[in-house]
Amino acid sequence: MTRTTYGDNLVVTDRGGVVENTHEIHAAVTDADGRLLFYVGNPHRITLIRSAAKPMQALAVVETGGADQSSFDSVDLALMCASHSSEERHVQRARQMLDKVGATEDDLRCGGQPSITPQVTEGWWRDGVTPTAVYNCCSGKHAGMLAGAKALGAPLTDYHVQDHPIQQRVKRAVEEVANLAPDEIIWGIDGCNMPAPAYPLTALSQSYALFAKASSDLARDAATTERERWMGRIYDAMARHPEQVGGDGRFCTILMEAFEGRLIGKLGADACYAIGVKESEDTRRLGAKGALGLAVKVGDGSYSILYAVLAHLLEQLGIGSPGEREALRAFHELKMVNSMGVQTGTVNFQYKLHSVL
Amino acid sequence: MTRTTYGDNLVVTDRGGVVENTHEIHAAVTDADGRLLFYVGNPHRITLIRSAAKPMQALAVVETGGADQSSFDSVDLALMCASHSSEERHVQRARQMLDKVGATEDDLRCGGQPSITPQVTEGWWRDGVTPTAVYNCCSGKHAGMLAGAKALGAPLTDYHVQDHPIQQRVKRAVEEVANLAPDEIIWGIDGCNMPAPAYPLTALSQSYALFAKASSDLARDAATTERERWMGRIYDAMARHPEQVGGDGRFCTILMEAFEGRLIGKLGADACYAIGVKESEDTRRLGAKGALGLAVKVGDGSYSILYAVLAHLLEQLGIGSPGEREALRAFHELKMVNSMGVQTGTVNFQYKLHSVL
């Protein structure tokens, strides 16, 4: 575990002009061919992409035929890609997915946990709700895995273990979409107990650009493979149902709502993020052949810094209009106020966005 | 806001052997004369010490005569130095302090906020409690400031503003205990709306060593000044009532309980910490003339990393017995487990503790 220090990749918060905290940023901007266009820090940083892997995990499931066999619609597909806030609509939908699979909550191999959104957890405490596995922010993904396991004729138990047939499918899908050899990807165990891949941010960026490309190709009937059609449908599911992918007030949801289908974005735990942007004047201006991807990791895992950086990078790159980015203002400015509402400091984006071309 | 990169001052967490997060550590170990004995990263880092300033703030209050005039006992003194968990005992005690001052909750200039301990907040939500100012983790400090303002014959309103007489007293006490000139300390606004000083970790370490020295001197009737007697009483209040300084399960409380008076420790927000250790065989072996201080800042503000580092440094320095440090094991090992209780990774202390002598 060695490490290179870059030095020009910091976000610094201050209080009264004094440095309070420093955060290292790593980011890669590529196109769907994997060409690096811009970067911050180390764009090749091997990164545990955590829940940013969900579109690839969903792809492995739909390619088994499991989504069709379980009559999943696009809302179900979106929930498979979600780190949802465990709102009523998410929990209900996950239960419906289990019904459609012919499985029960007891088949889920994730545990219960507090909601990502404190107000939701607060509601459970008020109402005496104990969050079980179906409340887990990954319950849609897990329900999807059960559909995949069933379609493969594999046992529903232990669908989360690396050598289960559905996880072997996931492994191949992740490798192929990232365009990496098996030995270029390292696997850990995720917070929801499923295998979690680690690979360079450049490859994550490329993967998301490929989803964006697939959606454009699907729309103009130019998708060339079954895989590309499925990738387009997964992109479209996320873009059309952003409220399923995150929840009220969440960055993923607000970002995708603001851009109305022109991009998808997904959070991974410990402050990793990936965005896929459909081909547009913006992506061409930035040097992309077609669609564009952006992958970011905050070195220490700070979420508020991650969201500020994403909003800042979108502005620096000129992706979308000022009006579209306006929805992200609260994340971008990250007002540092105290218990009396007094502003105590600011966030300073001191990193350099390097242009490669 | 420039920054030097050290590189040998990291804590790294991994998942399945892959680096997940990296955290920069800065630490200074000094004696009461301010001699630097050991360090990690930049021991001179200008650091917003936040609530680690509370013993010095309490000192300014007691020196007005306000603590005696309000009949504060040692439990009250401990609460003045606390970032308490807003448990029933803390809130009740803060109310009693206000009564003794002849003030009310309306006089407090801190706002309400969730408890530092989620389970306490959970209880409020269950019971329909709305946390008002007296629930603020700093309510003891604020009640103390009211006692100080009253003793000075100053208005109770705006006791939190930098030019109020009690804050001017705080400013001088912080400067004098840190042995720094006014222009060597920069002031911001804290989370609870009071002035927050920033200065080098070395000076914070020295300040805490001075509190430890004062307690020893007081015990053997060798305190030479009124200030030293008060500093000894503040140390003793914290050491004897650790449950007031933090709360159930909190690092400060467990640390001070385990060391039974031989040290005090206090958290500052955004992962700053200071410890003062009374003269002992350990402090002499480490090269201290008498008492010893330790000040730590995690560059990105991560609390769990801070506590792990503190436990690790105490072990590396050999402060206390293995039995005393055993109480810190859960903080030290920082088990990284997921929602199913599976261990997903480890914490790796990659920093170098440099010896100066």
Side-chain angles (χ1 to χ4, degrees):
Chain A
M1 289 192 290
T2 56
R3 169 176 172 275
T4 310
T5 300
Y6 295 86
D8 65 348
N9 65 332
L10 294 182
V11 168
V12 177
T13 64
D14 78 273
R15 181 174 296 267
V18 181
V19 170
E20 182 127 54
N21 297 320
T22 55
H23 305 274
E24 276 192 14
I25 311 302
H26 303 284
V29 179
T30 73
D31 62 17
D33 293 340
R35 285 193 316 147
L36 184 64
L37 305 172
F38 297 89
Y39 68 93
V40 177
N42 178 7
H44 307 290
R45 183 186 190 280
I46 307 290
T47 301
L48 287 143
I49 70 169
R50 313 290 299 274
S51 284
K54 277 174 177 153
M56 286 76 88
Q57 290 167 317
L59 178 64
V61 167
V62 296
E63 289 186 337
T64 65
D68 285 341
Q69 286 169 32
S70 293
S71 306
F72 285 171
D73 61 19
S74 70
V75 177
D76 299 323
L77 279 189
L79 200 72
M80 284 169 64
C81 299
S83 299
H84 61 68
S85 297
S86 316
E87 296 162 11
E88 194 51 37
R89 58 182 162 195
H90 303 130
V91 177
Q92 272 192 5
R93 176 61 65 160
R95 288 205 167 106
Q96 289 164 5
M97 289 174 72
L98 289 170
D99 280 349
K100 290 198 261 188
V101 174
T104 73
E105 199 176 337
D106 288 343
D107 295 312
L108 293 176
R109 292 292 172 267
C110 52
Q113 58 185 21
S115 166
I116 291 173
T117 300
Q119 291 86 329
V120 172
T121 309
E122 182 182 334
W124 298 344
W125 285 342
R126 279 213 193 93
D127 302 341
V129 172
T130 301
T132 51
V134 79
Y135 288 82
N136 188 299
C137 66
C138 306
S139 60
K141 177 176 76 172
H142 282 254
M145 292 289 165
L146 287 167
K150 199 176 168 192
L152 292 170
L156 294 194
T157 52
D158 293 340
Y159 66 84
H160 64 293
V161 176
Q162 181 87 64
D163 62 4
H164 187 282
I166 187 64
Q167 296 304 335
Q168 289 297 306
R169 291 289 197 112
V170 167
K171 185 170 180 297
R172 277 206 302 282
V174 167
E175 289 160 5
E176 289 165 10
V177 174
N179 197 27
L180 291 171
D183 66 1
E184 292 178 294
I185 300 182
I186 310 163
W187 293 81
I189 300 171
D190 214 329
C192 71
N193 221 15
M194 232 178 250
Y199 54 83
L201 288 171
T202 43
L204 176 59
S205 172
Q206 179 182 10
S207 296
Y208 271 65
L210 285 168
F211 277 93
K213 175 185 187 300
S215 172
S216 296
D217 286 352
L218 188 64
R220 57 195 177 86
D221 224 4
T224 53
T225 62
E226 187 64 14
R227 166 159 289 177
E228 204 191 5
R229 276 185 288 278
W230 271 121
M231 288 177 74
R233 285 172 62 184
I234 288 168
Y235 177 105
D236 292 347
M238 293 176 71
R240 283 175 196 157
H241 308 289
E243 77 288 352
Q244 294 294 335
V245 178
D248 287 341
R250 295 272 306 282
F251 184 89
C252 287
T253 299
I254 291 170
L255 172 70
M256 287 191 281
E257 281 175 354
F259 278 80
E260 295 181 326
R262 288 185 285 281
L263 60 72
I264 57 167
K266 183 68 193 69
L267 174 68
D270 283 288
C272 164
Y273 207 92
I275 291 177
V277 187
K278 280 185 164 183
E279 178 170 2
S280 69
E281 220 170 278
D282 290 338
T283 66
R284 286 189 295 268
R285 176 180 42 77
L286 292 167
K289 279 194 199 155
L292 178 139
L294 165 62
V296 177
K297 162 75 182 172
V298 180
D300 56 68
S302 298
Y303 292 104
S304 58
I305 298 299
L306 171 69
Y307 296 140
V309 165
L310 288 164
H312 186 69
L313 284 176
L314 290 173
E315 183 179 280
Q316 282 200 295
L317 293 165
I319 294 174
S321 66
E324 284 164 326
R325 293 192 303 265
E326 175 64 23
L328 305 175
R329 181 195 287 265
F331 294 104
H332 192 168
E333 296 185 350
L334 190 56
K335 263 209 176 138
M336 323 220 20
V337 294
N338 68 16
S339 65
M340 293 299 278
V342 174
Q343 182 164 0
T344 56
T346 57
V347 178
N348 307 277
F349 302 93
Q350 298 193 353
Y351 54 77
K352 178 161 171 51
L353 177 63
H354 297 270
S355 171
V356 175
L357 298 185
Chain B
M1 290 192 292
T2 57
R3 172 176 170 273
T4 310
T5 300
Y6 296 86
D8 66 347
N9 65 332
L10 293 182
V11 168
V12 177
T13 63
D14 77 273
R15 181 176 296 267
V18 181
V19 170
E20 182 126 55
N21 297 320
T22 56
H23 305 273
E24 276 192 14
I25 311 303
H26 303 285
V29 179
T30 73
D31 61 18
D33 293 339
R35 285 192 317 147
L36 185 64
L37 305 171
F38 297 88
Y39 68 93
V40 177
N42 178 7
H44 307 290
R45 184 188 190 280
I46 306 290
T47 301
L48 287 143
I49 70 169
R50 312 288 300 273
S51 285
K54 277 174 177 153
M56 286 76 88
Q57 290 167 318
L59 179 63
V61 167
V62 296
E63 289 186 336
T64 65
D68 285 341
Q69 286 170 33
S70 293
S71 306
F72 285 171
D73 61 17
S74 71
V75 178
D76 299 323
L77 279 189
L79 200 71
M80 283 169 63
C81 300
S83 300
H84 61 69
S85 296
S86 318
E87 296 163 9
E88 194 51 36
R89 58 182 162 195
H90 303 129
V91 177
Q92 271 191 5
R93 176 59 65 159
R95 288 205 167 106
Q96 289 164 5
M97 289 174 72
L98 288 170
D99 281 348
K100 290 198 260 187
V101 174
T104 73
E105 199 177 336
D106 288 343
D107 294 312
L108 294 176
R109 293 291 172 270
C110 53
Q113 58 186 21
S115 166
I116 291 173
T117 300
Q119 290 86 331
V120 173
T121 309
E122 182 181 335
W124 298 344
W125 286 342
R126 279 212 193 94
D127 302 342
V129 172
T130 301
T132 51
V134 79
Y135 288 82
N136 188 299
C137 67
C138 305
S139 59
K141 177 176 75 171
H142 281 254
M145 291 290 164
L146 287 167
K150 199 175 168 194
L152 291 172
L156 295 194
T157 50
D158 293 340
Y159 66 83
H160 64 294
V161 176
Q162 180 88 65
D163 62 5
H164 187 282
I166 187 64
Q167 296 305 334
Q168 287 298 308
R169 292 287 198 112
V170 167
K171 186 169 179 294
R172 276 205 303 282
V174 167
E175 288 161 5
E176 289 165 8
V177 175
N179 197 27
L180 292 171
D183 65 1
E184 291 177 296
I185 301 182
I186 310 164
W187 293 81
I189 299 172
D190 213 330
C192 71
N193 220 16
M194 231 178 253
Y199 53 82
L201 289 170
T202 44
L204 176 60
S205 172
Q206 180 182 9
S207 297
Y208 271 65
L210 285 169
F211 277 93
K213 175 185 186 302
S215 172
S216 296
D217 287 350
L218 187 64
R220 57 194 177 87
D221 223 2
T224 54
T225 61
E226 188 64 15
R227 166 160 290 176
E228 203 191 6
R229 277 186 286 277
W230 271 122
M231 289 176 74
R233 286 171 64 183
I234 288 168
Y235 176 105
D236 292 346
M238 293 175 70
R240 286 177 194 155
H241 309 289
E243 77 288 352
Q244 294 295 336
V245 179
D248 287 341
R250 293 274 305 283
F251 185 89
C252 287
T253 299
I254 290 170
L255 171 71
M256 288 191 280
E257 281 176 353
F259 278 79
E260 295 181 327
R262 289 184 285 281
L263 59 73
I264 56 168
K266 183 67 193 70
L267 174 68
D270 283 288
C272 164
Y273 207 92
I275 291 177
V277 188
K278 279 185 164 183
E279 179 171 0
S280 70
E281 219 170 280
D282 290 339
T283 66
R284 285 188 296 268
R285 175 181 41 76
L286 293 167
K289 279 194 199 157
L292 178 138
L294 165 63
V296 178
K297 163 76 183 171
V298 180
D300 56 67
S302 298
Y303 292 103
S304 59
I305 298 300
L306 172 70
Y307 296 140
V309 165
L310 287 164
H312 186 69
L313 284 176
L314 289 173
E315 184 179 282
Q316 282 200 294
L317 292 165
I319 294 174
S321 66
E324 285 163 325
R325 293 193 302 266
E326 175 64 23
L328 305 175
R329 181 195 286 264
F331 294 104
H332 193 168
E333 295 185 350
L334 191 56
K335 262 207 176 141
M336 320 217 27
V337 296
N338 67 17
S339 64
M340 292 299 277
V342 174
Q343 182 164 0
T344 55
T346 57
V347 178
N348 308 277
F349 302 95
Q350 297 194 353
Y351 55 77
K352 179 162 172 48
L353 177 64
H354 298 271
S355 170
V356 175
L357 298 184

